[in-house]
């Protein structure tokens, strides 16, 4: 090659005699909610907005807050209202693990899903010890969220 002249490459690939077959892959439908009440807690406003939209699109009724203390008040004032809580692990002031413990003191049957982008410090065993039902790693897709919610809200149906 020479400056200003460019370079020429000739690539040679072997010819393989084979038939190409197309396979149609059909994804299972995304599970949908039926108006279950979800409390969504995250300290980042953009994640709250995205989470709320995704959950509402999936058929859930969402109450969202950026304050763990407000979440405690909501559950304390209406302990039977929420079917499930989704909370971030890493939040200033009161982290998701401490929030989960406080919520379970108020409503022991409350289903709680912990979300985190740093799952290294949370093992499945520790998650269960704290009373959480699932760990959801960020970022997650609508399908992963929907399937996780179905496993937690309807465990008998998820085993079928």
């Amino acid at each position: 090659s020479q400056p200003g002249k460019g370079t020429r490459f000739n690539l040679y690939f072997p010819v393989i005699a084979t038939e190409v077959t197309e396979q149609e892959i059909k994804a299972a439908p995304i599970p949908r909610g039926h108006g279950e009440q979800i409390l969504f807690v995250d300290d980042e406003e953009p994640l709250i907005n995205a989470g709320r939209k995704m959950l509402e699109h999936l058929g859930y009724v969402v109450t969202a807050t950026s304050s763990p203390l407000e979440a405690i008040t909501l559950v304390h004032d209406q302990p039977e209202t929420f079917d499930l809580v989704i909370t971030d692990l890493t939040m200033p002031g009161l982290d998701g693990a401490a929030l989960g413990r406080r919520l379970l003191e108020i409503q022991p049957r409350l289903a709680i899903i912990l979300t985190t982008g740093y799952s290294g410090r949370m093992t499945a065993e520790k998650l269960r010890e704290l009373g959480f039902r699932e760990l959801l790693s960020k970022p997650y897709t609508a399908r992963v969220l929907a399937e996780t919610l179905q496993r937690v809200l309807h465990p008998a149906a998820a085993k079928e």
Side-chain angles (χ1 to χ4, degrees), residues 38-41 71-72 75 82-89 91 95-115 127-128 130-136 148-149 152-153:
I38 307 283
L39 176 58
F40 189 85
V41 186
I72 292 168
V75 172
F82 299 103
D83 298 299
L84 183 136
V85 174
I86 299 173
T87 182
D88 187 24
L89 174 61
M91 295 185 290
D95 70 12
L99 173 60
R101 282 192 299 274
R102 300 265 303 268
L103 294 176
L104 289 170
E105 287 171 5
I106 298 166
Q107 177 52 278
R109 295 184 312 276
L110 188 60
I112 305 175
I113 296 174
L114 187 66
T115 67
L127 185 80
R128 302 277 186 251
L130 293 172
F132 292 96
R133 306 282 177 92
E134 292 266 350
L135 178 66
L136 192 57
T148 302
L149 290 169
V152 172
L153 290 169

Side-chain angles (χ1 to χ4, degrees), residues 25-95:
I25 299 173
K26 290 189 178 185
I30 293 178
R32 301 194 49 81
H34 297 52
E36 293 93 334
Q37 296 275 337
I38 307 283
L39 176 58
F40 189 85
V41 186
D42 197 298
D43 62 314
E44 295 183 50
E45 203 64 39
L47 294 178
I48 289 173
N49 293 331
R52 178 195 322 265
K53 286 178 186 173
M54 196 180 307
L55 288 163
E56 287 174 347
H57 179 74
L58 290 171
Y60 297 96
V61 176
V62 182
T63 302
T65 180
S66 62
S67 167
L69 297 177
E70 183 181 356
I72 292 168
T73 300
L74 288 166
V75 172
H76 181 270
D77 291 349
Q78 303 170 18
E80 299 296 326
T81 297
F82 299 103
D83 298 299
L84 183 136
V85 174
I86 299 173
T87 182
D88 187 24
L89 174 61
T90 309
M91 295 185 290
L94 190 66
D95 70 12

Side-chain angles (χ1 to χ4, degrees), residues 140-156:
Y140 47 82
T141 63
R143 175 175 294 282
V144 169
L145 176 60
E147 290 171 352
T148 302
L149 290 169
Q150 287 299 304
R151 277 194 308 274
V152 172
L153 290 169
H154 309 287

